[in-house]
Amino acid sequence: MTRLLAVGVSGTTLLRLVRALPVPEIGTVTVVGVDDFAFRKGRDYGSIIVDMHTGRPVDLLPDRPADSFAAWLRAHPGAEVVCRDRASGYAEGARLGAPDAIQVADRFHLLYNLTQAVDRVVRAHRTCLKDQPDAEAVAQPRPPTDGRQGRRTEMTRRRHTEIHTLHDGGRPPRAHDPGGQCALTAEAGASSASAWSTSATSSSTSVTRTRRRAPA
């Protein structure tokens, strides 16, 4: 952005200006969201506190033990709901810092844990997943055909009719053209190609005769 504005400034200056901005007051957060983040992946982790009503981060903690989160909740009373992952650290911190608050698991971690559980089950029973003989296969009900008709359905039916009309007339469409468009324009294309070929042949003959007469 500074390059677009033609303002020469270093990254250090920008950081200094950002850090000089006043930090807004946290106030009372009734629905607290908490999750961890990595200062350095695999080594140093912190915690981010989010106001779930606004989706705005309100504070950062330098670590993620239960005591740190509990201390933050005591310093900012009023939490009615704590939205967290399913780890025991934040659960213990919420129990100690806001014992009256309701603890809920956020949707992301629920779906993530469900995905992991399904993956483990499928991997454990993958030998059971095999094709069944036709005699043991269970017939599946056909989808309803009396549903709402749209533009795509009408176009598909029209093309289906055109394809069968061409087929009955002895001119089946090409295999790579399921819509029958090539077959519909085959006659026009053939006429154009024939006319172009005739024109090109005449031009080539004219040029050849001219070149033969040049030495004379």
Side-chain angles (χ1 to χ4, degrees):
M1 184 180 295
T2 56
R3 287 196 297 269
L4 293 175
L5 296 175
V7 179
V9 63
S10 66
T12 303
T13 301
L14 290 176
L15 289 176
R16 178 173 54 80
L17 294 174
V18 170
R19 289 170 179 167
L21 294 174
V23 179
E25 295 292 335
I26 296 177
T28 302
V29 183
T30 57
V31 183
V32 179
V34 60
D35 201 359
D36 58 353
F37 69 95
F39 290 108
R40 192 170 184 181
K41 191 172 183 179
R43 298 185 59 180
D44 300 326
Y45 288 86
S47 299
I48 181 171
I49 311 296
V50 180
D51 184 348
M52 299 303 292
H53 279 311
T54 62
R56 182 176 63 89
V58 295
D59 207 348
L60 296 176
L61 304 182
D63 49 25
R64 57 179 179 178
D67 295 338
S68 299
F69 183 45
W72 188 93
L73 290 173
R74 295 192 192 99
H76 304 84
E80 299 176 1
V81 178
V82 175
C83 184
R84 57 173 179 81
D85 59 14
R86 300 182 68 244
S88 59
Y90 292 131
E92 182 67 13
R95 187 184 66 82
L96 296 174
D100 297 331
I102 300 174
Q103 298 189 35
V104 298
D106 61 74
R107 289 176 295 179
F108 169 79
H109 289 96
L110 285 176
L111 291 175
Y112 182 73
N113 296 145
L114 177 61
T115 302
Q116 289 181 319
V118 172
D119 182 71
R120 287 194 299 267
V121 171
V122 172
R123 289 179 183 274
H125 299 279
R126 59 184 177 181
T127 56
C128 302
L129 301 176
K130 57 183 179 180
D131 295 335
Q132 295 183 355
D134 295 338
E136 301 179 4
V138 179
Q140 299 295 326
R142 297 184 60 183
T145 58
D146 56 348
R148 184 177 180 181
Q149 304 298 327
R151 180 179 179 183
R152 186 182 299 274
T153 304
E154 296 177 359
M155 183 180 298
T156 302
R157 289 181 175 177
R158 185 172 65 252
R159 289 183 175 179
H160 180 270
T161 304
E162 293 173 352
I163 290 173
H164 279 273
T165 301
L166 293 172
H167 183 271
D168 295 339
R171 287 168 37 193
R174 298 179 182 178
H176 65 273
D177 183 29
Q181 296 299 319
C182 289
L184 292 174
T185 57
E187 185 175 353
S191 300
S192 299
S194 177
W196 180 87
S197 177
T198 302
S199 176
T201 304
S202 301
S203 300
S204 176
T205 304
S206 176
V207 171
T208 303
R209 290 177 179 176
T210 302
R211 288 180 179 176
R212 290 179 180 178
R213 295 174 181 176

